Amino acid sequence: MSHFFEDSMFAGVTLSLVAYFIGTLLKRKFKLGIFNPLLISIIVSIIVLLVGKVDYEIYNEGAKYLSWLLTPATVCLAIPLYEQRDLLKKNYKAVLFGLFSGVLTSLCTVFVLSLMMGLSHEEYVTLLPKSITTAIGMGVSEELGGYVVITVAVIIVTGVIGNIFGELICKIFRIIEPISKGLAFGSAAHAIGTAKAIEIGEVEGAMSGLAIAVSGIMTVLFASVFANFI
Amino acid sequence: MKYIKQFLIILVISFAGELCKYILPFPIPASIYGMAIMFTGLMTGLVKLEDVRHTGKFLIEIMPIMFIPAGVGLVTSWGILRPVFVPVCVITVVTVITVMIATGKVSQGIIRWEQKKIEKGEVIDEPLF
């Protein structure tokens, strides 16, 4: 069976997408955050790989084409942003100060918790860029001397957590304005959070896309300062 | 034809983003440069909205599934992640919550404060662009 899997270009991706689709059905039926299609798809795919003793590299032979689409898709996030340009012009202060607060909060939270848990300098700088998009975060981690592989893993986990619990967090803390919701998703959970913000609404999606770029760049600027603290 | 043209424009901009990344010394990925180029193109009218909209919306809609391979890839980093698993989990969960509150509350506060100023009839200063 794993022989066939090795030769098949479509087995892995098809399985992941079927799991994703089942996830959307479960989500619609039970309306619970934990039935997150992305989470279900990742867990089911991992279980199948482990049970079938299939290497991730073999799975990724087919699945990498999904990842390949990420750059063009991120480029396209400028389209909803352009459609909301009047809203952006009117609220540029809220956008800039909101994202600035988010970036500082991210760096401060990582700093305080790392201090409390006695992490080493290398572990600390590995986690510093955890809230931003993978491509920028990897660069920051490498530059500061962190463990890049862990940074990537943590960034993805952060995104998935934001994707699953973002709506609940907004509800509990009464973040109601569509602009603010979008910015919150993008600054806390980068592109994976944005995927959820797009489902919530057009304004949310547009602002979340903007937040990926702005928060990423702000983090590049401030992370090197914070790196000196531990 | 329509989709070929749209996909072509999107890919050309992605490629332009790669070129920027290659030429410029900043730690910014091709996708972010591309996003800026697309936005500038739309704002200046060099790229027409109708020439990218359908394919763009399609790519954005299927974006969640593009993260599945990276998520499944966590299976390969489990060995490295295990020794720091507890602190990483705590920091990850807490940060998601604090950042969402900070960004959400600060921006929402400013939006509502400016709305109040408008209601009172005060003049709002000129927009940035």
Side-chain angles (χ1 to χ4, degrees):
Chain A
M1 185 60 200
S2 77
H3 248 328
F4 171 70
F5 210 96
E6 279 171 35
D7 293 332
S8 167
M9 286 292 281
F10 295 101
V13 196
T14 309
L15 163 83
S16 293
L17 292 195
V18 168
Y20 189 92
F21 188 68
I22 293 171
T24 58
L25 294 181
L26 284 174
K27 181 79 190 285
R28 203 175 302 158
K29 192 156 166 55
F30 297 104
K31 298 200 187 327
L32 279 172
I34 203 70
F35 289 114
N36 179 288
L38 182 60
L39 181 70
I40 290 175
S41 176
I42 291 171
I43 291 176
V44 169
S45 307
I46 287 180
I47 290 173
V48 171
L49 292 192
L50 290 178
V51 171
K53 294 195 171 55
V54 179
D55 274 349
Y56 175 70
E57 280 70 28
I58 290 166
Y59 165 84
N60 204 34
E61 269 305 304
K64 68 184 177 200
Y65 298 104
L66 288 179
S67 318
W68 181 86
L69 282 170
L70 258 179
T71 298
T74 310
V75 169
C76 289
L77 287 174
I79 297 170
L81 188 62
Y82 171 75
E83 290 176 321
Q84 305 294 337
R85 63 194 176 282
D86 293 333
L87 206 61
L88 177 63
K89 270 184 206 170
K90 214 178 108 199
N91 295 289
Y92 75 93
K93 275 187 206 158
V95 170
L96 282 181
F97 282 108
L99 293 178
F100 180 67
S101 320
V103 168
L104 281 190
T105 305
S106 176
L107 297 170
C108 288
T109 311
V110 174
F111 167 63
V112 171
L113 291 177
S114 299
L115 202 63
M116 281 165 59
M117 291 189 280
L119 297 191
S120 70
H121 173 77
E122 285 76 14
E123 288 164 341
Y124 166 60
V125 294
T126 296
L127 296 176
L128 264 185
K130 63 167 283 299
S131 298
I132 59 174
T133 193
T134 321
I136 305 183
M138 281 169 74
V140 171
S141 174
E142 197 175 354
E143 174 98 17
L144 301 175
Y147 307 109
V148 179
V149 184
I150 300 183
T151 303
V152 172
V154 174
I155 287 174
I156 292 160
V157 173
T158 299
V160 175
I161 290 177
N163 187 300
I164 299 170
F165 297 109
E167 278 181 292
L168 184 68
I169 296 169
C170 283
K171 206 170 163 187
I172 293 174
F173 295 98
R174 294 202 190 81
I175 300 163
I176 303 155
E177 290 288 341
I179 296 175
S180 304
K181 262 189 179 172
L183 294 173
F185 268 99
S187 63
H190 50 91
I192 308 183
T194 301
K196 172 60 88 182
I198 289 161
E199 286 171 25
I200 300 174
E202 293 206 348
V203 175
E204 285 87 342
M207 292 300 156
S208 191
L210 174 68
I212 301 173
V214 178
S215 304
I217 294 166
M218 284 183 179
T219 302
V220 170
L221 297 175
F222 295 118
S224 51
V225 179
F226 270 77
N228 299 319
F229 295 171
I230 291 183
Chain B
M1 241 337 254
K2 182 176 103 181
Y3 291 108
I4 295 179
K5 185 181 173 191
Q6 298 203 354
F7 195 51
L8 173 67
I9 294 174
I10 293 165
L11 283 192
V12 166
I13 295 178
S14 305
F15 173 65
E18 276 186 326
L19 269 182
C20 287
K21 186 188 149 111
Y22 181 71
I23 296 166
L24 300 170
F26 310 113
I28 293 170
S31 58
I32 303 286
Y33 282 125
M35 198 200 277
I37 295 168
M38 176 70 94
F39 189 71
T40 316
L42 287 165
M43 287 301 273
T44 55
L46 280 172
V47 179
K48 299 268 176 299
L49 181 61
E50 278 314 307
D51 284 344
V52 287
R53 204 169 70 93
H54 280 100
T55 307
K57 294 266 154 129
F58 168 73
L59 283 174
I60 292 174
E61 198 186 312
I62 65 165
M63 208 172 161
I65 61 170
M66 299 174 197
F67 295 106
I68 299 173
V72 178
L74 289 173
V75 76
T76 58
S77 34
W78 172 241
I80 314 163
L81 210 53
R82 203 170 50 183
V84 283
F85 188 66
V86 174
V88 162
C89 277
V90 173
I91 291 176
T92 304
V93 173
V94 174
T95 317
V96 170
I97 299 171
T98 56
V99 174
M100 284 195 88
I101 297 172
T103 308
K105 281 293 182 187
V106 169
S107 59
Q108 187 164 277
I110 296 174
I111 290 169
R112 291 190 172 162
W113 179 63
E114 289 191 328
Q115 273 170 353
K116 252 184 214 162
K117 275 210 299 196
I118 294 171
E119 277 162 24
K120 277 186 196 162
E122 284 175 35
V123 187
I124 300 288
D125 45 6
E126 288 294 306
L128 189 62
F129 52 88

